[in-house]
Amino acid sequence: MTRLWNDPADFADEMIDGFVAANGRYVRRVSGGVARATATPEGQVAFVIGGGSGHYPAFGGLVGPGLAHGAAMGNLFASPSTQQVLSVARAAENGGGVLLSYGNYAGDVLNFDAAQEQLRAAGIPCETVTVTDDVASADKSEIHKRRGIAGDLTVFRTAGAAAERGADLEEVTRLARRANDRTRSFGVAFSGCSLPGAEEPLFEVAPGHMALGLGIHGEPGLGDTEIPTADGLAELLVTRLLEEVPGDVAEVRGARVVPVLNGLGSLKYEEMFVVYRRIARLLDEAGIVAVDPHVGEYCTSFDMAGTSLTLLWLDDELEELWETGVDTPAYRRGSVDTSHLVRVETSDEESEDAIGDADDSSREVARTIAAAFDLWRATIDENVDELGRLDAIAGDGDHGIGMQRGIHAAQAAARDAAERGAGAATTLARAADAWSDRAGGTSGAIWGAILDTIAGHLGDEGVPSPDAIAAGLEAAKTRVAGFGAVVGDKTLVDALNPLAETFAARAADGAGIADAWREAADAATAAAAATADLLPQMGRARAHHEKALGIPDPGAHSLALLAQALLQLTQ
Amino acid sequence: MTRLWNDPADFADEMIDGFVAANGRYVRRVSGGVARATATPEGQVAFVIGGGSGHYPAFGGLVGPGLAHGAAMGNLFASPSTQQVLSVARAAENGGGVLLSYGNYAGDVLNFDAAQEQLRAAGIPCETVTVTDDVASADKSEIHKRRGIAGDLTVFRTAGAAAERGADLEEVTRLARRANDRTRSFGVAFSGCSLPGAEEPLFEVAPGHMALGLGIHGEPGLGDTEIPTADGLAELLVTRLLEEVPGDVAEVRGARVVPVLNGLGSLKYEEMFVVYRRIARLLDEAGIVAVDPHVGEYCTSFDMAGTSLTLLWLDDELEELWETGVDTPAYRRGSVDTSHLVRVETSDEESEDAIGDADDSSREVARTIAAAFDLWRATIDENVDELGRLDAIAGDGDHGIGMQRGIHAAQAAARDAAERGAGAATTLARAADAWSDRAGGTSGAIWGAILDTIAGHLGDEGVPSPDAIAAGLEAAKTRVAGFGAVVGDKTLVDALNPLAETFAARAADGAGIADAWREAADAATAAAAATADLLPQMGRARAHHEKALGIPDPGAHSLALLAQALLQLTQ
């Protein structure tokens, strides 16, 4: 149970503030998360990790010499936005390029990939290693679909050590991949977790039972069983992982592994030690040498009770890296010479970008766009509970809150830009950035992409034609399709595609914007209604389970609501 | 909730095994707890801490360079026995004397004091510093009665740093006292905790409420209140501690403090960071400089949800010591040069003590003593639930289990000694040692003292006279009185005193042992019965609250049961 918060909506932000206040010797606050308090030595690969909040010490607690250079810290259990990742990477980068690494979840993939693209576009070399250690989350034949859990630590530590020792981006990436290839985890959970302010736990496990392989956000596992003895649990964990020895480990007997027994939040250290006692014996009996055993909390899941065992199967190269000293807020090993590091002076940065030129008619359109966001904000505020309810049928119930967070930020940004004389394209692009930055997660990234793509077709001069808008919608449709969802997946795509297609058809017939939009909005609404009927059939808690998009959510309803709301402007 | 164990009776032992298995680079298992894996440098003060288990990282997690040299680890929430403390101190000591430090609880005081006495008797200089930081546990005017909670950390770290820097015993002791004098804590709890295997939590807090100043074993606090916001809690904690600024802090504005926001087990780091955010601002507003803030778990209470704020008010001397590097399993700060340290080779030590000489008649008495322990063991096994039930009325309900643990160990030791040809005194003394060693806590110490004292009057030659036994009982009565309880406190003293007095009176009248014992046993039984009627009036959960003895428990009943059981030998 979570008990302490102020406004739950501010929890993640305030948590980061408090974390930085307590750990100023290690980290500084940057937009989107934290970076080391000391500058990245010139030419060193900047190793940037990240993910949703609620997993402390992942991810901010692992920033410091020998480990990460920065952590993008998203909202609770929600991916950081593309802008957050980008901003942290820029704060950490110092001529050696950037390695991004994170657990393999849909929203994270979306946003880290987008950030990688933007860094590369800006001429900064960037690579990505996703962590896929959870053997319960997909079959051996589909390792790339597996989720990342406490194996984060072994991959991160390997990459951080390689960067610390001066390896270049290609080499750091290779070593991090190698660590991921040789890391396997299996976990169990005894209880769910509750987010700050939530009345109900996000999910539950029957009393006296444990869920095998349950994901750290409640993603489905392999079923329930009665809680065994501590020794019985140790046997279960070791057995599972010995069935999953990485292919390139030549011989189990004589192998050297780093065991990590990770607690999810509410499991006591004492209980973990009792379990580890038996794990140590089982490894020994199998002829496996345990190197630098870890028993503790490395990747938690709020107040969830549960534990996972991770094995990193060492080779000489990985074992040598493992000796590198680490000094971060939550994780310290060996000794670290910090005498050569230079503290970064923090300032009240974030100078405001100047607004580019625009003509009067585009400024008039920009004011209409701002008015549209006013309407949208009111619409989402009215419907936030209903959207949450719909989302809870098949997902984690946070769709309404996520939309609200995004639309509030977007509305403020659009108002601000329009009042400062921005044109239509700039105003909509600013709103898009604000949305994805504040909302985070998958839906934030998608809405940001949609609006940003449309903005690219509006220009900052003149009034956009129906054809330009049609082209923008079509491009947005294509961009969202690139994320992987297709019509019928019960996502926003189900409504976006008919909207774009209907608008384009009417525009091609010579209809004005208002008429074309009315028909397009109706098409979206009809499609969303059809989606709603299917939602209950999708089963619940798949939200974090799917790697790519294709996660059922009420995105189609949100889009239809916004499309209908816009009609008020034409009346 | 605690979920993972094998046999709950083995939990503490197995936990230590697992802890050592995971942390072999830091610690080695010694009888009674753990010591550093490396030898104490010659002439360095050996700093030994300890207490009951269930408070990880206190106490074993804090052993390593820059902090403790060893930790005596008692059973769950039970003081280590005198022998445990002694054994750890002997393993750690290397010519510089011993400083013992622990939280101020009755059982700990008893056992650490006894260990200190024995160390001194063996020519090893020894000092003690009890930690008394919990402002909620007694009034300002009685600081010495206060309990020790998370302030352990600041006192321990100061003492460990001073020892590391080569200060002598007097100086290390002075500095540790100074740190204790300048350390204040205040805590709140949101839930109770459950011991492994227990059906019910040890105590509870009403849902939505928090208990102010509740002790870490559930000792009574200052009452309940509704859970405030995170900011509200920060304000409460800071306000309480600013009302308790140590007398020798000249000026609050400009003062430098180390803040420690400690989690009790089930509170999430994220929640603590949100609270710390406001604490940092409040300290800043009060003109207080926060030095090296700590937010984390330093002294937990099983799976209890709660938190405490500790402030160590620095002076120049303490702040300079605070810079010392520390490297322990659970706590690391700065960097530590370990190159000069020498690993201790662990062996399967514990060579058996030889049994001294005895004559045949004393060996015959020894066999009778062993038979008495057989009877006593059966008696306690039969009554264990009832003793637990009686204890739960006014205490923590573990009296039966503690007695059982003690009597099983004592019976085995007595059997072993008698079979190996020991005399009466040696057999009873061995049983006494085994009892207090295995039972731990207050009652273990007292029973060990009683039997050991009587043993001193039996000799290993000839058959003891009724007068010798009377003298032994009288001496035991006097020794127990030295612990602080008097007749009427509803403790074992209520029965021990009439037993000793009745036996002495009958022996003086010329009665034989059997007759004198029968009357003595009846007197003890009558006294115990009177005690039982009063137990329900004593209120509950005082068990850990009282500094000295005088804690109501069913000790009188246990003693009466054993006294009656002995009569079977004379029939």
Side-chain angles (χ1 to χ4, degrees), chain A residues 2-6 14-15 17-19 22 25 54-56 190 229-231 268-271 273 277 292-293 295 300 302 305 332-333, chain B residues 2-6 14-15 18-19 22 25 54-56 190 229-231 268-271 273 277 292-293 295 300 302 305 332-333:
Chain A
T2 311
R3 298 173 183 84
L4 294 171
W5 59 80
N6 296 304
E14 294 187 349
M15 180 271 290
D17 283 345
F19 166 66
R25 66 161 67 185
H55 302 298
Y56 191 86
F190 309 111
T229 61
D231 283 357
K268 271 296 288 181
Y269 273 71
E270 281 86 347
E271 295 177 272
F273 286 131
R277 169 180 165 276
D292 189 20
V295 178
T300 62
F302 249 93
R332 285 158 209 153
R333 275 309 204 255
Chain B
T2 310
R3 297 173 185 85
L4 294 171
W5 60 81
N6 295 307
E14 295 188 348
M15 180 271 289
F19 167 66
R25 66 163 68 186
H55 301 299
Y56 191 86
F190 309 111
T229 61
D231 283 359
K268 271 295 289 181
Y269 272 69
E270 281 87 346
E271 295 177 273
F273 286 131
R277 171 180 165 274
D292 189 19
V295 177
T300 63
F302 249 93
R332 286 156 207 153
R333 272 318 205 243

Coordinates of all heavy atoms in Angstrom, one line a residue, chain A residues 2-6 14-15 17-19 22 25 54-56 190 229-231 268-271 273 277 292-293 295 300 302 305 332-333, chain B residues 2-6 14-15 18-19 22 25 54-56 190 229-231 268-271 273 277 292-293 295 300 302 305 332-333:
Chain A
T2 N 0.5 2.2 -0.8 CA 1.2 3.5 -0.8 C 0.4 4.5 0.0 O -0.8 4.5 -0.1 CB 1.3 4.0 -2.2 OG1 1.8 2.9 -3.1 CG2 2.3 5.2 -2.3
R3 N 1.0 5.2 0.9 CA 0.3 6.0 1.8 C 0.7 7.5 1.8 O -0.1 8.3 2.2 CB 0.6 5.5 3.3 CG 0.1 4.1 3.5 CD 0.6 3.6 4.9 NE 0.2 2.3 5.1 CZ 0.9 1.2 4.7 NH1 2.0 1.4 4.0 NH2 0.5 0.0 4.9
L4 N 1.8 7.8 1.3 CA 2.3 9.2 1.4 C 2.4 9.9 0.1 O 3.2 9.4 -0.8 CB 3.7 9.2 2.1 CG 3.6 8.7 3.6 CD1 5.0 8.5 4.1 CD2 2.9 9.7 4.4
W5 N 1.7 10.9 -0.1 CA 1.8 11.7 -1.3 C 1.1 13.1 -1.0 O 0.5 13.3 0.1 CB 1.0 11.1 -2.5 CG -0.4 10.8 -2.2 CD1 -1.4 11.7 -2.3 CD2 -1.0 9.6 -1.8 NE1 -2.6 11.1 -2.0 CE2 -2.4 9.9 -1.7 CE3 -0.5 8.3 -1.5 CZ2 -3.3 8.9 -1.3 CZ3 -1.4 7.3 -1.1 CH2 -2.8 7.6 -1.0
N6 N 1.3 14.0 -1.9 CA 0.6 15.3 -1.8 C -0.5 15.2 -2.8 O -1.5 14.5 -2.6 CB 1.5 16.5 -1.9 CG 2.6 16.5 -0.8 OD1 2.2 16.5 0.3 ND2 3.8 16.4 -1.2
E14 N 7.7 15.2 -7.7 CA 8.1 15.5 -6.3 C 9.1 14.5 -5.8 O 10.0 14.8 -5.0 CB 6.9 15.6 -5.3 CG 6.0 16.8 -5.7 CD 4.9 17.1 -4.7 OE1 4.7 16.2 -3.8 OE2 4.3 18.1 -4.8
M15 N 8.9 13.2 -6.2 CA 9.8 12.2 -5.9 C 11.2 12.5 -6.4 O 12.2 12.4 -5.7 CB 9.3 10.9 -6.4 CG 10.1 9.6 -6.1 SD 11.4 9.3 -7.4 CE 10.3 8.8 -8.8
D17 N 12.4 15.4 -7.2 CA 12.9 16.6 -6.4 C 13.6 16.1 -5.1 O 14.6 16.5 -4.8 CB 11.8 17.6 -6.1 CG 11.4 18.4 -7.3 OD1 12.2 18.5 -8.3 OD2 10.4 19.1 -7.2
G18 N 12.8 15.3 -4.4 CA 13.3 14.8 -3.1 C 14.6 13.9 -3.3 O 15.5 14.0 -2.5
F19 N 14.5 13.1 -4.3 CA 15.7 12.2 -4.6 C 16.9 13.1 -4.9 O 18.0 12.8 -4.4 CB 15.4 11.3 -5.8 CG 16.5 10.7 -6.4 CD1 17.2 9.7 -5.7 CD2 17.0 11.0 -7.7 CE1 18.3 9.0 -6.2 CE2 18.1 10.3 -8.2 CZ 18.8 9.4 -7.5
A22 N 18.3 14.8 -1.7 CA 19.0 13.9 -0.9 C 20.3 13.4 -1.4 O 21.2 13.0 -0.7 CB 18.1 12.7 -0.5
R25 N 25.1 15.1 -4.1 CA 26.5 14.8 -4.4 C 26.7 13.9 -5.6 O 27.7 13.8 -6.2 CB 27.2 14.2 -3.2 CG 26.7 12.8 -2.8 CD 27.6 12.0 -1.9 NE 27.7 12.7 -0.6 CZ 28.6 12.3 0.4 NH1 29.4 11.3 0.1 NH2 28.6 12.9 1.5
G54 N 8.7 4.4 -10.1 CA 8.1 3.4 -9.2 C 9.0 2.1 -9.1 O 8.6 1.2 -8.4
H55 N 10.2 2.2 -9.7 CA 11.1 1.0 -9.7 C 12.4 1.3 -8.9 O 13.3 0.6 -9.1 CB 11.4 0.6 -11.1 CG 10.2 0.3 -12.0 ND1 9.4 -0.7 -11.7 CD2 9.8 0.9 -13.1 CE1 8.4 -0.8 -12.6 NE2 8.6 0.2 -13.5
Y56 N 12.4 2.3 -8.1 CA 13.6 2.7 -7.4 C 14.3 1.4 -6.8 O 13.6 0.6 -6.2 CB 13.4 3.7 -6.3 CG 14.6 4.3 -5.8 CD1 15.2 5.4 -6.4 CD2 15.3 3.8 -4.7 CE1 16.4 6.0 -6.0 CE2 16.5 4.3 -4.2 CZ 17.0 5.4 -4.9 OH 18.2 5.9 -4.4
F190 N 3.9 -12.1 -4.6 CA 2.9 -12.5 -3.6 C 1.8 -11.5 -3.4 O 0.8 -11.8 -2.8 CB 3.7 -12.6 -2.3 CG 4.9 -13.4 -2.3 CD1 6.1 -12.9 -2.2 CD2 4.8 -14.8 -2.6 CE1 7.3 -13.6 -2.3 CE2 5.9 -15.6 -2.7 CZ 7.2 -15.0 -2.5
T229 N 7.9 -23.2 0.8 CA 8.9 -22.8 1.8 C 10.0 -21.9 1.2 O 10.1 -21.9 -0.1 CB 9.6 -24.0 2.5 OG1 10.3 -24.7 1.4 CG2 8.6 -24.9 3.1
A230 N 10.8 -21.3 2.0 CA 11.9 -20.5 1.4 C 12.8 -21.4 0.6 O 13.2 -21.0 -0.5 CB 12.7 -19.8 2.6
D231 N 13.1 -22.6 1.1 CA 13.9 -23.5 0.3 C 13.2 -23.9 -1.0 O 13.9 -24.0 -2.0 CB 14.2 -24.8 1.1 CG 15.3 -24.5 2.2 OD1 15.8 -23.4 2.2 OD2 15.6 -25.4 3.0
K268 N 11.1 -8.6 2.7 CA 12.1 -8.2 3.7 C 13.5 -8.8 3.3 O 13.5 -9.9 2.8 CB 11.8 -8.7 5.1 CG 11.0 -7.8 5.9 CD 11.7 -6.5 6.2 CE 12.8 -6.7 7.2 NZ 13.5 -5.4 7.5
Y269 N 14.5 -8.1 3.6 CA 15.9 -8.6 3.3 C 16.1 -9.9 4.1 O 16.7 -10.8 3.5 CB 16.9 -7.5 3.8 CG 17.2 -6.5 2.8 CD1 16.3 -5.5 2.4 CD2 18.5 -6.5 2.2 CE1 16.7 -4.6 1.5 CE2 18.8 -5.6 1.2 CZ 17.9 -4.6 0.9 OH 18.2 -3.7 -0.1
E270 N 15.6 -10.0 5.3 CA 15.8 -11.2 6.0 C 15.2 -12.4 5.3 O 15.8 -13.5 5.3 CB 15.1 -11.1 7.4 CG 15.9 -10.3 8.4 CD 15.6 -8.8 8.4 OE1 15.0 -8.3 7.4 OE2 16.1 -8.1 9.3
E271 N 14.0 -12.2 4.7 CA 13.4 -13.3 3.9 C 14.3 -13.7 2.7 O 14.4 -14.9 2.4 CB 12.0 -12.9 3.5 CG 11.0 -12.7 4.6 CD 9.6 -12.2 4.0 OE1 9.5 -11.0 3.8 OE2 8.8 -13.1 3.8
F273 N 17.4 -13.3 2.5 CA 18.6 -14.0 2.9 C 18.3 -15.5 3.2 O 19.2 -16.4 2.8 CB 19.3 -13.4 4.1 CG 19.9 -12.1 3.8 CD1 19.7 -11.0 4.6 CD2 20.9 -12.0 2.8 CE1 20.3 -9.7 4.3 CE2 21.5 -10.8 2.5 CZ 21.2 -9.6 3.3
R277 N 20.3 -18.4 1.1 CA 21.0 -19.5 1.7 C 20.9 -20.8 0.9 O 21.9 -21.4 0.6 CB 20.5 -19.7 3.1 CG 20.9 -20.9 3.8 CD 20.3 -21.0 5.2 NE 20.4 -22.3 5.8 CZ 19.6 -23.3 5.6 NH1 18.6 -23.2 4.7 NH2 19.8 -24.5 6.2
D292 N 30.3 -12.5 -6.5 CA 29.7 -11.2 -6.1 C 28.2 -11.3 -6.0 O 27.5 -10.6 -6.7 CB 30.2 -10.1 -7.0 CG 29.7 -8.7 -6.5 OD1 29.5 -8.6 -5.3 OD2 29.6 -7.8 -7.3
P293 N 27.7 -12.2 -5.1 CA 26.2 -12.3 -5.0 C 25.6 -11.0 -4.6 O 26.1 -10.2 -3.8 CB 26.0 -13.4 -3.9 CG 27.4 -14.0 -3.7 CD 28.4 -13.0 -4.1
V295 N 22.0 -9.5 -3.0 CA 20.7 -9.8 -2.4 C 20.2 -8.4 -2.0 O 20.7 -7.8 -1.1 CB 20.8 -10.7 -1.2 CG1 19.4 -11.0 -0.6 CG2 21.4 -12.1 -1.6
T300 N 12.5 -2.4 -8.3 CA 11.3 -2.7 -7.5 C 10.1 -2.4 -8.3 O 10.1 -1.9 -9.4 CB 11.3 -1.9 -6.2 OG1 11.2 -0.5 -6.5 CG2 12.5 -2.1 -5.3
F302 N 7.0 -0.6 -7.0 CA 6.3 0.1 -5.9 C 6.3 -0.8 -4.6 O 7.3 -1.2 -4.2 CB 4.9 0.5 -6.3 CG 4.8 2.0 -6.4 CD1 5.0 2.6 -7.6 CD2 4.6 2.7 -5.3 CE1 5.1 4.0 -7.6 CE2 4.7 4.1 -5.3 CZ 4.9 4.7 -6.5
A305 N 5.0 -7.2 -3.3 CA 5.8 -8.2 -2.6 C 6.2 -9.3 -3.6 O 5.3 -9.8 -4.2 CB 5.1 -8.8 -1.4
R332 N 26.7 0.8 -4.8 CA 28.1 1.1 -4.7 C 28.9 -0.2 -4.6 O 28.5 -1.1 -4.0 CB 28.4 1.9 -3.4 CG 28.0 3.4 -3.6 CD 27.7 4.1 -2.3 NE 26.7 5.1 -2.5 CZ 25.9 5.6 -1.6 NH1 25.9 5.1 -0.4 NH2 25.0 6.5 -1.9
R333 N 30.0 -0.2 -5.3 CA 30.8 -1.4 -5.3 C 32.3 -1.0 -5.5 O 32.5 -0.1 -6.3 CB 30.5 -2.3 -6.5 CG 29.3 -3.3 -6.4 CD 29.5 -4.1 -5.1 NE 28.8 -5.4 -5.1 CZ 27.7 -5.7 -4.4 NH1 27.0 -4.8 -3.8 NH2 27.3 -7.0 -4.4
Chain B
T2 N 5.1 -11.4 6.5 CA 6.2 -12.2 6.2 C 5.7 -13.5 5.6 O 4.7 -14.1 6.0 CB 7.0 -12.5 7.5 OG1 7.2 -11.3 8.2 CG2 8.3 -13.1 7.2
R3 N 6.4 -13.9 4.5 CA 5.8 -15.1 3.7 C 6.8 -16.2 3.6 O 6.4 -17.4 3.3 CB 5.4 -14.6 2.3 CG 4.3 -13.6 2.3 CD 4.1 -13.1 0.9 NE 3.1 -12.0 0.9 CZ 3.3 -10.8 1.2 NH1 4.5 -10.4 1.5 NH2 2.4 -9.9 1.2
L4 N 8.1 -15.9 3.7 CA 9.1 -16.9 3.3 C 9.9 -17.4 4.5 O 10.6 -16.6 5.1 CB 10.0 -16.4 2.2 CG 9.3 -16.1 0.9 CD1 10.2 -15.3 0.0 CD2 8.8 -17.3 0.2
W5 N 9.8 -18.7 4.8 CA 10.6 -19.3 5.8 C 10.6 -20.8 5.6 O 9.8 -21.3 4.8 CB 10.0 -18.9 7.2 CG 8.6 -19.4 7.4 CD1 8.2 -20.7 7.8 CD2 7.4 -18.6 7.3 NE1 6.9 -20.7 7.9 CE2 6.3 -19.5 7.6 CE3 7.2 -17.3 7.0 CZ2 5.0 -19.1 7.6 CZ3 5.8 -16.9 7.0 CH2 4.8 -17.7 7.2
N6 N 11.4 -21.5 6.4 CA 11.4 -22.9 6.4 C 10.7 -23.3 7.7 O 9.5 -23.1 7.8 CB 12.8 -23.5 6.2 CG 13.3 -23.2 4.8 OD1 12.6 -23.4 3.8 ND2 14.5 -22.6 4.7
E14 N 19.1 -19.2 9.8 CA 19.2 -19.4 8.4 C 19.4 -18.0 7.7 O 20.1 -17.9 6.7 CB 17.9 -20.1 7.8 CG 17.8 -21.5 8.3 CD 16.7 -22.3 7.7 OE1 15.9 -21.7 7.0 OE2 16.6 -23.5 7.8
M15 N 18.8 -17.0 8.2 CA 19.0 -15.7 7.7 C 20.4 -15.3 7.8 O 21.0 -14.8 6.8 CB 18.1 -14.7 8.5 CG 18.1 -13.3 8.0 SD 19.4 -12.3 8.9 CE 18.7 -12.2 10.5
G18 N 22.4 -17.2 5.1 CA 22.2 -16.6 3.8 C 22.9 -15.3 3.7 O 23.5 -15.0 2.6
F19 N 22.8 -14.5 4.7 CA 23.5 -13.2 4.7 C 25.0 -13.3 4.5 O 25.6 -12.6 3.7 CB 23.2 -12.4 6.0 CG 24.0 -11.2 6.3 CD1 24.0 -10.1 5.4 CD2 24.9 -11.2 7.3 CE1 24.8 -9.0 5.7 CE2 25.7 -10.1 7.6 CZ 25.7 -9.0 6.7
A22 N 25.9 -14.5 1.0 CA 25.9 -13.4 0.0 C 26.9 -12.4 0.2 O 27.3 -11.6 -0.7 CB 24.5 -12.8 0.0
R25 N 32.5 -11.5 1.2 CA 33.6 -10.5 1.0 C 33.7 -9.6 2.2 O 34.8 -8.9 2.4 CB 33.6 -9.7 -0.3 CG 32.4 -8.8 -0.4 CD 32.6 -7.8 -1.5 NE 32.5 -8.4 -2.8 CZ 32.8 -7.8 -4.0 NH1 33.2 -6.5 -3.9 NH2 32.7 -8.4 -5.1
G54 N 15.8 -8.9 12.6 CA 14.6 -8.4 12.0 C 14.7 -6.9 11.7 O 13.7 -6.3 11.3
H55 N 15.9 -6.3 12.0 CA 16.1 -4.9 11.8 C 17.1 -4.6 10.6 O 17.6 -3.5 10.6 CB 16.6 -4.3 13.1 CG 15.8 -4.5 14.2 ND1 14.5 -4.0 14.3 CD2 16.0 -5.1 15.4 CE1 14.0 -4.3 15.5 NE2 14.8 -5.0 16.2
Y56 N 17.3 -5.6 9.7 CA 18.3 -5.4 8.7 C 18.1 -4.0 8.0 O 17.0 -3.7 7.7 CB 18.2 -6.5 7.7 CG 19.4 -6.5 6.7 CD1 20.6 -7.2 7.1 CD2 19.4 -5.8 5.5 CE1 21.7 -7.2 6.3 CE2 20.5 -5.8 4.7 CZ 21.6 -6.5 5.1 OH 22.7 -6.5 4.2
F190 N 2.6 3.1 10.2 CA 1.3 2.9 9.5 C 0.7 1.5 9.6 O -0.4 1.3 9.3 CB 1.5 3.3 8.0 CG 2.1 4.6 7.8 CD1 3.4 4.6 7.2 CD2 1.5 5.8 8.1 CE1 4.0 5.9 7.0 CE2 2.1 7.0 7.9 CZ 3.4 7.0 7.4
T229 N -0.7 14.4 4.6 CA 0.0 14.4 3.3 C 1.5 14.2 3.5 O 1.9 14.3 4.7 CB -0.2 15.7 2.6 OG1 0.4 16.7 3.4 CG2 -1.6 16.1 2.3
A230 N 2.2 13.9 2.5 CA 3.6 13.7 2.6 C 4.2 15.0 3.2 O 5.1 14.9 4.1 CB 4.2 13.4 1.2
D231 N 3.8 16.2 2.7 CA 4.3 17.4 3.2 C 3.9 17.6 4.7 O 4.7 18.0 5.5 CB 3.7 18.6 2.5 CG 4.4 18.8 1.1 OD1 5.4 18.0 0.8 OD2 4.0 19.7 0.4
K268 N 7.9 2.7 0.7 CA 8.7 2.8 -0.5 C 9.7 3.9 -0.5 O 9.4 5.0 0.0 CB 7.8 3.0 -1.7 CG 7.2 1.7 -2.3 CD 8.3 0.8 -2.9 CE 8.9 1.4 -4.2 NZ 9.9 0.6 -4.8
Y269 N 10.8 3.7 -1.2 CA 11.8 4.8 -1.3 C 11.1 6.0 -2.0 O 11.4 7.1 -1.6 CB 12.9 4.3 -2.2 CG 14.0 3.6 -1.4 CD1 13.8 2.4 -0.8 CD2 15.3 4.2 -1.2 CE1 14.8 1.8 -0.1 CE2 16.3 3.6 -0.5 CZ 16.0 2.4 0.1 OH 17.0 1.8 0.8
E270 N 10.3 5.8 -3.0 CA 9.7 6.9 -3.7 C 8.9 7.8 -2.7 O 8.9 9.0 -2.7 CB 8.7 6.4 -4.8 CG 9.5 6.0 -6.0 CD 9.9 4.5 -6.0 OE1 10.0 3.9 -5.0 OE2 10.3 4.0 -7.1
E271 N 8.1 7.1 -1.8 CA 7.4 7.9 -0.8 C 8.3 8.7 0.1 O 8.0 9.8 0.5 CB 6.5 6.9 0.1 CG 5.4 6.2 -0.7 CD 4.7 5.2 0.2 OE1 5.1 4.1 0.3 OE2 3.7 5.6 0.7
F273 N 11.2 9.8 -0.6 CA 11.8 11.0 -1.3 C 10.8 12.1 -1.4 O 11.2 13.3 -1.3 CB 12.2 10.6 -2.8 CG 13.4 9.7 -2.8 CD1 13.5 8.5 -3.5 CD2 14.6 10.1 -2.1 CE1 14.7 7.8 -3.5 CE2 15.8 9.4 -2.1 CZ 15.8 8.2 -2.8
R277 N 11.7 15.7 0.2 CA 11.7 17.0 -0.5 C 11.2 18.1 0.4 O 11.8 19.2 0.4 CB 10.7 16.8 -1.7 CG 10.3 18.0 -2.4 CD 9.3 17.7 -3.5 NE 8.6 18.9 -4.0 CZ 7.6 19.4 -3.5 NH1 7.0 18.9 -2.4 NH2 7.0 20.5 -4.0
D292 N 25.2 15.6 3.9 CA 25.1 14.1 3.6 C 23.7 13.5 4.0 O 23.7 12.6 4.8 CB 26.2 13.4 4.3 CG 26.4 12.0 3.8 OD1 25.8 11.6 2.7 OD2 27.0 11.1 4.5
P293 N 22.7 14.0 3.4 CA 21.3 13.4 3.7 C 21.2 11.9 3.4 O 21.8 11.5 2.5 CB 20.4 14.2 2.8 CG 21.1 15.4 2.3 CD 22.5 15.0 2.3
V295 N 18.4 8.9 2.9 CA 17.0 8.5 2.8 C 17.1 7.0 2.4 O 17.6 6.7 1.3 CB 16.3 9.3 1.7 CG1 14.9 8.8 1.5 CG2 16.3 10.8 2.0
T300 N 15.3 -1.3 10.2 CA 13.9 -1.7 9.9 C 13.3 -2.4 11.0 O 13.9 -2.7 12.1 CB 13.9 -2.5 8.6 OG1 14.6 -3.8 8.8 CG2 14.6 -1.8 7.4
F302 N 11.2 -5.5 10.6 CA 10.5 -6.5 9.7 C 9.7 -5.9 8.6 O 10.3 -5.0 7.9 CB 9.6 -7.5 10.5 CG 10.3 -8.8 10.5 CD1 11.1 -9.2 11.5 CD2 10.1 -9.7 9.4 CE1 11.8 -10.4 11.4 CE2 10.7 -10.9 9.3 CZ 11.6 -11.3 10.3
A305 N 5.4 -0.8 8.2 CA 5.4 0.4 7.3 C 5.5 1.5 8.3 O 4.7 1.7 9.2 CB 4.1 0.5 6.5
R332 N 27.6 2.0 2.4 CA 28.9 2.4 1.8 C 29.0 3.9 1.6 O 28.0 4.5 1.2 CB 29.2 1.7 0.5 CG 29.5 0.2 0.7 CD 29.2 -0.6 -0.6 NE 28.9 -2.0 -0.1 CZ 28.1 -2.9 -0.8 NH1 27.5 -2.5 -1.9 NH2 27.9 -4.0 -0.3
R333 N 30.1 4.4 2.0 CA 30.2 5.9 1.8 C 31.7 6.1 1.5 O 32.6 5.5 2.1 CB 29.9 6.6 3.1 CG 28.5 7.0 3.4 CD 27.8 7.6 2.3 NE 26.7 8.5 2.5 CZ 25.4 8.2 2.2 NH1 25.0 7.1 1.7 NH2 24.5 9.1 2.4

